[in-house]
Amino acid sequence: MSDFYLKFADEAEAISVLPEFREEDEDGSTVWITHTPGADLDVIGKIWIDDVLQTGWHVNIRGLEKPEWSAYLVYPAQPVRGWA
């Protein structure tokens, strides 16, 4: 397992790239899920650093890399959140 940091233009783009992390809840709403058999997801969303909104919409994933993620991978020097 490896850790990946992904940055999307917005949540809609993230949804289109990460459908395996979406499912319907008991009310019929489609929501993010944080665990699949092969990976874990940490939805960050928008990031503020020193009161400045950073560009993009962010998620962290722990799992095996998928080729469709390659265009969205970022390599932050100091991630806002990491895995324990």
PDB file of all heavy atoms in Angstrom, residues 36-64:
ATOM      1  N   THR A  36     -12.710   0.914   0.548  1.00  0.00           N
ATOM      2  CA  THR A  36     -13.078  -0.108  -0.422  1.00  0.00           C
ATOM      3  C   THR A  36     -12.168  -1.295  -0.134  1.00  0.00           C
ATOM      4  O   THR A  36     -11.206  -1.169   0.636  1.00  0.00           O
ATOM      5  CB  THR A  36     -12.876   0.368  -1.875  1.00  0.00           C
ATOM      6  OG1 THR A  36     -11.476   0.528  -2.136  1.00  0.00           O
ATOM      7  CG2 THR A  36     -13.619   1.676  -2.146  1.00  0.00           C
ATOM      8  N   PRO A  37     -12.419  -2.447  -0.734  1.00  0.00           N
ATOM      9  CA  PRO A  37     -11.530  -3.591  -0.468  1.00  0.00           C
ATOM     10  C   PRO A  37     -10.052  -3.317  -0.773  1.00  0.00           C
ATOM     11  O   PRO A  37      -9.178  -3.890  -0.144  1.00  0.00           O
ATOM     12  CB  PRO A  37     -12.093  -4.682  -1.376  1.00  0.00           C
ATOM     13  CG  PRO A  37     -13.539  -4.352  -1.501  1.00  0.00           C
ATOM     14  CD  PRO A  37     -13.588  -2.847  -1.537  1.00  0.00           C
ATOM     15  N   GLY A  38      -9.771  -2.395  -1.703  1.00  0.00           N
ATOM     16  CA  GLY A  38      -8.378  -2.164  -2.061  1.00  0.00           C
ATOM     17  C   GLY A  38      -7.780  -0.836  -1.654  1.00  0.00           C
ATOM     18  O   GLY A  38      -6.600  -0.582  -1.901  1.00  0.00           O
ATOM     19  N   ALA A  39      -8.573   0.043  -1.027  1.00  0.00           N
ATOM     20  CA  ALA A  39      -8.036   1.376  -0.728  1.00  0.00           C
ATOM     21  C   ALA A  39      -8.865   2.086   0.337  1.00  0.00           C
ATOM     22  O   ALA A  39     -10.013   1.734   0.592  1.00  0.00           O
ATOM     23  CB  ALA A  39      -8.003   2.221  -1.994  1.00  0.00           C
ATOM     24  N   ASP A  40      -8.244   3.111   0.926  1.00  0.00           N
ATOM     25  CA  ASP A  40      -8.918   3.994   1.874  1.00  0.00           C
ATOM     26  C   ASP A  40      -8.869   5.409   1.321  1.00  0.00           C
ATOM     27  O   ASP A  40      -7.896   5.805   0.670  1.00  0.00           O
ATOM     28  CB  ASP A  40      -8.226   3.958   3.232  1.00  0.00           C
ATOM     29  CG  ASP A  40      -8.353   2.595   3.891  1.00  0.00           C
ATOM     30  OD1 ASP A  40      -9.483   2.083   3.963  1.00  0.00           O
ATOM     31  OD2 ASP A  40      -7.324   2.055   4.331  1.00  0.00           O
ATOM     32  N   LEU A  41      -9.911   6.178   1.600  1.00  0.00           N
ATOM     33  CA  LEU A  41     -10.037   7.536   1.087  1.00  0.00           C
ATOM     34  C   LEU A  41     -10.186   8.521   2.233  1.00  0.00           C
ATOM     35  O   LEU A  41     -10.945   8.291   3.171  1.00  0.00           O
ATOM     36  CB  LEU A  41     -11.270   7.631   0.181  1.00  0.00           C
ATOM     37  CG  LEU A  41     -11.632   9.029  -0.323  1.00  0.00           C
ATOM     38  CD1 LEU A  41     -10.673   9.443  -1.436  1.00  0.00           C
ATOM     39  CD2 LEU A  41     -13.068   9.051  -0.825  1.00  0.00           C
ATOM     40  N   ASP A  42      -9.472   9.643   2.143  1.00  0.00           N
ATOM     41  CA  ASP A  42      -9.616  10.758   3.069  1.00  0.00           C
ATOM     42  C   ASP A  42      -9.971  11.979   2.224  1.00  0.00           C
ATOM     43  O   ASP A  42      -9.127  12.498   1.482  1.00  0.00           O
ATOM     44  CB  ASP A  42      -8.313  10.978   3.836  1.00  0.00           C
ATOM     45  CG  ASP A  42      -8.384  12.140   4.815  1.00  0.00           C
ATOM     46  OD1 ASP A  42      -9.496  12.541   5.206  1.00  0.00           O
ATOM     47  OD2 ASP A  42      -7.313  12.650   5.187  1.00  0.00           O
ATOM     48  N   VAL A  43     -11.222  12.410   2.279  1.00  0.00           N
ATOM     49  CA  VAL A  43     -11.657  13.579   1.513  1.00  0.00           C
ATOM     50  C   VAL A  43     -11.223  14.834   2.258  1.00  0.00           C
ATOM     51  O   VAL A  43     -11.616  15.059   3.396  1.00  0.00           O
ATOM     52  CB  VAL A  43     -13.186  13.574   1.316  1.00  0.00           C
ATOM     53  CG1 VAL A  43     -13.642  14.858   0.633  1.00  0.00           C
ATOM     54  CG2 VAL A  43     -13.621  12.357   0.502  1.00  0.00           C
ATOM     55  N   ILE A  44     -10.408  15.639   1.607  1.00  0.00           N
ATOM     56  CA  ILE A  44      -9.939  16.900   2.180  1.00  0.00           C
ATOM     57  C   ILE A  44     -10.825  18.045   1.683  1.00  0.00           C
ATOM     58  O   ILE A  44     -11.209  18.908   2.435  1.00  0.00           O
ATOM     59  CB  ILE A  44      -8.466  17.178   1.788  1.00  0.00           C
ATOM     60  CG1 ILE A  44      -7.564  16.003   2.120  1.00  0.00           C
ATOM     61  CG2 ILE A  44      -7.984  18.479   2.419  1.00  0.00           C
ATOM     62  CD1 ILE A  44      -7.421  15.689   3.572  1.00  0.00           C
ATOM     63  N   GLY A  45     -11.134  18.045   0.391  1.00  0.00           N
ATOM     64  CA  GLY A  45     -11.915  19.132  -0.205  1.00  0.00           C
ATOM     65  C   GLY A  45     -11.036  20.339  -0.449  1.00  0.00           C
ATOM     66  O   GLY A  45      -9.902  20.231  -0.911  1.00  0.00           O
ATOM     67  N   LYS A  46     -11.551  21.502  -0.099  1.00  0.00           N
ATOM     68  CA  LYS A  46     -10.790  22.746  -0.266  1.00  0.00           C
ATOM     69  C   LYS A  46      -9.778  22.872   0.857  1.00  0.00           C
ATOM     70  O   LYS A  46     -10.026  22.452   1.982  1.00  0.00           O
ATOM     71  CB  LYS A  46     -11.725  23.942  -0.267  1.00  0.00           C
ATOM     72  CG  LYS A  46     -12.672  23.937  -1.450  1.00  0.00           C
ATOM     73  CD  LYS A  46     -13.606  25.120  -1.401  1.00  0.00           C
ATOM     74  CE  LYS A  46     -14.539  25.084  -2.598  1.00  0.00           C
ATOM     75  NZ  LYS A  46     -15.476  26.221  -2.587  1.00  0.00           N
ATOM     76  N   ILE A  47      -8.642  23.472   0.544  1.00  0.00           N
ATOM     77  CA  ILE A  47      -7.573  23.652   1.527  1.00  0.00           C
ATOM     78  C   ILE A  47      -7.309  25.137   1.735  1.00  0.00           C
ATOM     79  O   ILE A  47      -7.149  25.891   0.776  1.00  0.00           O
ATOM     80  CB  ILE A  47      -6.269  22.955   1.070  1.00  0.00           C
ATOM     81  CG1 ILE A  47      -6.456  21.442   1.042  1.00  0.00           C
ATOM     82  CG2 ILE A  47      -5.107  23.338   1.977  1.00  0.00           C
ATOM     83  CD1 ILE A  47      -5.239  20.689   0.532  1.00  0.00           C
ATOM     84  N   TRP A  48      -7.261  25.514   3.007  1.00  0.00           N
ATOM     85  CA  TRP A  48      -6.881  26.873   3.413  1.00  0.00           C
ATOM     86  C   TRP A  48      -5.531  26.801   4.108  1.00  0.00           C
ATOM     87  O   TRP A  48      -5.342  25.999   5.009  1.00  0.00           O
ATOM     88  CB  TRP A  48      -7.901  27.448   4.382  1.00  0.00           C
ATOM     89  CG  TRP A  48      -9.229  27.713   3.762  1.00  0.00           C
ATOM     90  CD1 TRP A  48     -10.230  26.814   3.553  1.00  0.00           C
ATOM     91  CD2 TRP A  48      -9.697  28.954   3.253  1.00  0.00           C
ATOM     92  NE1 TRP A  48     -11.296  27.419   2.948  1.00  0.00           N
ATOM     93  CE2 TRP A  48     -10.995  28.743   2.760  1.00  0.00           C
ATOM     94  CE3 TRP A  48      -9.135  30.233   3.175  1.00  0.00           C
ATOM     95  CZ2 TRP A  48     -11.747  29.760   2.185  1.00  0.00           C
ATOM     96  CZ3 TRP A  48      -9.888  31.239   2.608  1.00  0.00           C
ATOM     97  CH2 TRP A  48     -11.177  31.014   2.117  1.00  0.00           C
ATOM     98  N   ILE A  49      -4.595  27.626   3.688  1.00  0.00           N
ATOM     99  CA  ILE A  49      -3.292  27.714   4.349  1.00  0.00           C
ATOM    100  C   ILE A  49      -3.037  29.184   4.671  1.00  0.00           C
ATOM    101  O   ILE A  49      -3.038  30.026   3.764  1.00  0.00           O
ATOM    102  CB  ILE A  49      -2.158  27.135   3.466  1.00  0.00           C
ATOM    103  CG1 ILE A  49      -2.418  25.647   3.203  1.00  0.00           C
ATOM    104  CG2 ILE A  49      -0.798  27.354   4.134  1.00  0.00           C
ATOM    105  CD1 ILE A  49      -1.428  24.995   2.269  1.00  0.00           C
ATOM    106  N   ASP A  50      -2.841  29.469   5.941  1.00  0.00           N
ATOM    107  CA  ASP A  50      -2.631  30.854   6.398  1.00  0.00           C
ATOM    108  C   ASP A  50      -3.721  31.784   5.866  1.00  0.00           C
ATOM    109  O   ASP A  50      -3.441  32.861   5.330  1.00  0.00           O
ATOM    110  CB  ASP A  50      -1.246  31.353   5.976  1.00  0.00           C
ATOM    111  CG  ASP A  50      -0.123  30.575   6.630  1.00  0.00           C
ATOM    112  OD1 ASP A  50      -0.310  30.145   7.785  1.00  0.00           O
ATOM    113  OD2 ASP A  50       0.919  30.393   5.980  1.00  0.00           O
ATOM    114  N   ASP A  51      -4.971  31.355   6.005  1.00  0.00           N
ATOM    115  CA  ASP A  51      -6.134  32.136   5.579  1.00  0.00           C
ATOM    116  C   ASP A  51      -6.202  32.383   4.075  1.00  0.00           C
ATOM    117  O   ASP A  51      -6.912  33.295   3.628  1.00  0.00           O
ATOM    118  CB  ASP A  51      -6.218  33.474   6.329  1.00  0.00           C
ATOM    119  CG  ASP A  51      -6.450  33.281   7.819  1.00  0.00           C
ATOM    120  OD1 ASP A  51      -7.136  32.310   8.191  1.00  0.00           O
ATOM    121  OD2 ASP A  51      -5.935  34.089   8.609  1.00  0.00           O
ATOM    122  N   VAL A  52      -5.482  31.594   3.294  1.00  0.00           N
ATOM    123  CA  VAL A  52      -5.516  31.735   1.842  1.00  0.00           C
ATOM    124  C   VAL A  52      -6.065  30.439   1.254  1.00  0.00           C
ATOM    125  O   VAL A  52      -5.519  29.362   1.495  1.00  0.00           O
ATOM    126  CB  VAL A  52      -4.104  32.018   1.274  1.00  0.00           C
ATOM    127  CG1 VAL A  52      -4.134  32.081  -0.244  1.00  0.00           C
ATOM    128  CG2 VAL A  52      -3.544  33.311   1.856  1.00  0.00           C
ATOM    129  N   LEU A  53      -7.144  30.565   0.478  1.00  0.00           N
ATOM    130  CA  LEU A  53      -7.733  29.407  -0.175  1.00  0.00           C
ATOM    131  C   LEU A  53      -6.821  28.941  -1.301  1.00  0.00           C
ATOM    132  O   LEU A  53      -6.488  29.714  -2.202  1.00  0.00           O
ATOM    133  CB  LEU A  53      -9.122  29.750  -0.722  1.00  0.00           C
ATOM    134  CG  LEU A  53      -9.853  28.632  -1.470  1.00  0.00           C
ATOM    135  CD1 LEU A  53     -10.117  27.444  -0.551  1.00  0.00           C
ATOM    136  CD2 LEU A  53     -11.151  29.164  -2.063  1.00  0.00           C
ATOM    137  N   GLN A  54      -6.421  27.684  -1.246  1.00  0.00           N
ATOM    138  CA  GLN A  54      -5.563  27.102  -2.275  1.00  0.00           C
ATOM    139  C   GLN A  54      -6.437  26.612  -3.434  1.00  0.00           C
ATOM    140  O   GLN A  54      -7.622  26.359  -3.275  1.00  0.00           O
ATOM    141  CB  GLN A  54      -4.769  25.931  -1.687  1.00  0.00           C
ATOM    142  CG  GLN A  54      -3.968  26.283  -0.457  1.00  0.00           C
ATOM    143  CD  GLN A  54      -2.949  27.386  -0.699  1.00  0.00           C
ATOM    144  OE1 GLN A  54      -2.059  27.256  -1.507  1.00  0.00           O
ATOM    145  NE2 GLN A  54      -3.090  28.479   0.033  1.00  0.00           N
ATOM    146  N   THR A  55      -5.848  26.479  -4.602  1.00  0.00           N
ATOM    147  CA  THR A  55      -6.616  26.025  -5.754  1.00  0.00           C
ATOM    148  C   THR A  55      -6.912  24.535  -5.659  1.00  0.00           C
ATOM    149  O   THR A  55      -6.165  23.771  -5.050  1.00  0.00           O
ATOM    150  CB  THR A  55      -5.859  26.293  -7.077  1.00  0.00           C
ATOM    151  OG1 THR A  55      -4.616  25.584  -7.051  1.00  0.00           O
ATOM    152  CG2 THR A  55      -5.612  27.772  -7.280  1.00  0.00           C
ATOM    153  N   GLY A  56      -8.007  24.128  -6.242  1.00  0.00           N
ATOM    154  CA  GLY A  56      -8.321  22.718  -6.363  1.00  0.00           C
ATOM    155  C   GLY A  56      -9.167  22.139  -5.247  1.00  0.00           C
ATOM    156  O   GLY A  56      -9.561  22.824  -4.292  1.00  0.00           O
ATOM    157  N   TRP A  57      -9.446  20.857  -5.406  1.00  0.00           N
ATOM    158  CA  TRP A  57     -10.250  20.065  -4.474  1.00  0.00           C
ATOM    159  C   TRP A  57      -9.466  18.787  -4.237  1.00  0.00           C
ATOM    160  O   TRP A  57      -9.090  18.103  -5.197  1.00  0.00           O
ATOM    161  CB  TRP A  57     -11.619  19.793  -5.103  1.00  0.00           C
ATOM    162  CG  TRP A  57     -12.682  19.422  -4.147  1.00  0.00           C
ATOM    163  CD1 TRP A  57     -13.515  20.263  -3.493  1.00  0.00           C
ATOM    164  CD2 TRP A  57     -13.036  18.102  -3.727  1.00  0.00           C
ATOM    165  NE1 TRP A  57     -14.368  19.550  -2.691  1.00  0.00           N
ATOM    166  CE2 TRP A  57     -14.099  18.214  -2.827  1.00  0.00           C
ATOM    167  CE3 TRP A  57     -12.558  16.833  -4.024  1.00  0.00           C
ATOM    168  CZ2 TRP A  57     -14.693  17.127  -2.221  1.00  0.00           C
ATOM    169  CZ3 TRP A  57     -13.141  15.743  -3.424  1.00  0.00           C
ATOM    170  CH2 TRP A  57     -14.202  15.899  -2.537  1.00  0.00           C
ATOM    171  N   HIS A  58      -9.183  18.427  -3.005  1.00  0.00           N
ATOM    172  CA  HIS A  58      -8.161  17.455  -2.676  1.00  0.00           C
ATOM    173  C   HIS A  58      -8.684  16.207  -1.960  1.00  0.00           C
ATOM    174  O   HIS A  58      -9.611  16.293  -1.157  1.00  0.00           O
ATOM    175  CB  HIS A  58      -7.111  18.117  -1.779  1.00  0.00           C
ATOM    176  CG  HIS A  58      -6.535  19.358  -2.387  1.00  0.00           C
ATOM    177  ND1 HIS A  58      -5.339  19.377  -3.032  1.00  0.00           N
ATOM    178  CD2 HIS A  58      -7.019  20.622  -2.456  1.00  0.00           C
ATOM    179  CE1 HIS A  58      -5.088  20.598  -3.473  1.00  0.00           C
ATOM    180  NE2 HIS A  58      -6.093  21.375  -3.137  1.00  0.00           N
ATOM    181  N   VAL A  59      -8.028  15.071  -2.241  1.00  0.00           N
ATOM    182  CA  VAL A  59      -8.266  13.825  -1.510  1.00  0.00           C
ATOM    183  C   VAL A  59      -6.930  13.138  -1.287  1.00  0.00           C
ATOM    184  O   VAL A  59      -5.966  13.350  -2.036  1.00  0.00           O
ATOM    185  CB  VAL A  59      -9.218  12.848  -2.245  1.00  0.00           C
ATOM    186  CG1 VAL A  59     -10.554  13.491  -2.545  1.00  0.00           C
ATOM    187  CG2 VAL A  59      -8.597  12.280  -3.502  1.00  0.00           C
ATOM    188  N   ASN A  60      -6.875  12.329  -0.246  1.00  0.00           N
ATOM    189  CA  ASN A  60      -5.734  11.437  -0.006  1.00  0.00           C
ATOM    190  C   ASN A  60      -6.242  10.014  -0.160  1.00  0.00           C
ATOM    191  O   ASN A  60      -7.345   9.699   0.286  1.00  0.00           O
ATOM    192  CB  ASN A  60      -5.176  11.607   1.412  1.00  0.00           C
ATOM    193  CG  ASN A  60      -4.624  12.988   1.674  1.00  0.00           C
ATOM    194  OD1 ASN A  60      -4.351  13.745   0.772  1.00  0.00           O
ATOM    195  ND2 ASN A  60      -4.471  13.308   2.941  1.00  0.00           N
ATOM    196  N   ILE A  61      -5.433   9.161  -0.769  1.00  0.00           N
ATOM    197  CA  ILE A  61      -5.805   7.755  -0.933  1.00  0.00           C
ATOM    198  C   ILE A  61      -4.643   6.883  -0.484  1.00  0.00           C
ATOM    199  O   ILE A  61      -3.488   7.150  -0.823  1.00  0.00           O
ATOM    200  CB  ILE A  61      -6.162   7.428  -2.397  1.00  0.00           C
ATOM    201  CG1 ILE A  61      -7.383   8.243  -2.832  1.00  0.00           C
ATOM    202  CG2 ILE A  61      -6.414   5.925  -2.567  1.00  0.00           C
ATOM    203  CD1 ILE A  61      -7.755   8.063  -4.291  1.00  0.00           C
ATOM    204  N   ARG A  62      -4.960   5.852   0.274  1.00  0.00           N
ATOM    205  CA  ARG A  62      -3.973   4.834   0.640  1.00  0.00           C
ATOM    206  C   ARG A  62      -4.418   3.550  -0.040  1.00  0.00           C
ATOM    207  O   ARG A  62      -5.515   3.059   0.197  1.00  0.00           O
ATOM    208  CB  ARG A  62      -3.898   4.637   2.148  1.00  0.00           C
ATOM    209  CG  ARG A  62      -2.950   3.488   2.520  1.00  0.00           C
ATOM    210  CD  ARG A  62      -2.728   3.407   3.998  1.00  0.00           C
ATOM    211  NE  ARG A  62      -1.673   4.383   4.314  1.00  0.00           N
ATOM    212  CZ  ARG A  62      -1.262   4.659   5.538  1.00  0.00           C
ATOM    213  NH1 ARG A  62      -1.821   4.082   6.583  1.00  0.00           N
ATOM    214  NH2 ARG A  62      -0.296   5.526   5.747  1.00  0.00           N
ATOM    215  N   GLY A  63      -3.566   3.048  -0.925  1.00  0.00           N
ATOM    216  CA  GLY A  63      -3.910   1.837  -1.666  1.00  0.00           C
ATOM    217  C   GLY A  63      -2.902   1.598  -2.767  1.00  0.00           C
ATOM    218  O   GLY A  63      -1.768   2.084  -2.709  1.00  0.00           O
ATOM    219  N   LEU A  64      -3.341   0.889  -3.788  1.00  0.00           N
ATOM    220  CA  LEU A  64      -2.509   0.626  -4.953  1.00  0.00           C
ATOM    221  C   LEU A  64      -2.847   1.654  -6.016  1.00  0.00           C
ATOM    222  O   LEU A  64      -4.022   1.909  -6.295  1.00  0.00           O
ATOM    223  CB  LEU A  64      -2.747  -0.792  -5.472  1.00  0.00           C
ATOM    224  CG  LEU A  64      -2.418  -1.903  -4.481  1.00  0.00           C
ATOM    225  CD1 LEU A  64      -2.773  -3.261  -5.083  1.00  0.00           C
ATOM    226  CD2 LEU A  64      -0.944  -1.873  -4.098  1.00  0.00           C
TER     227      LEU A  64
END
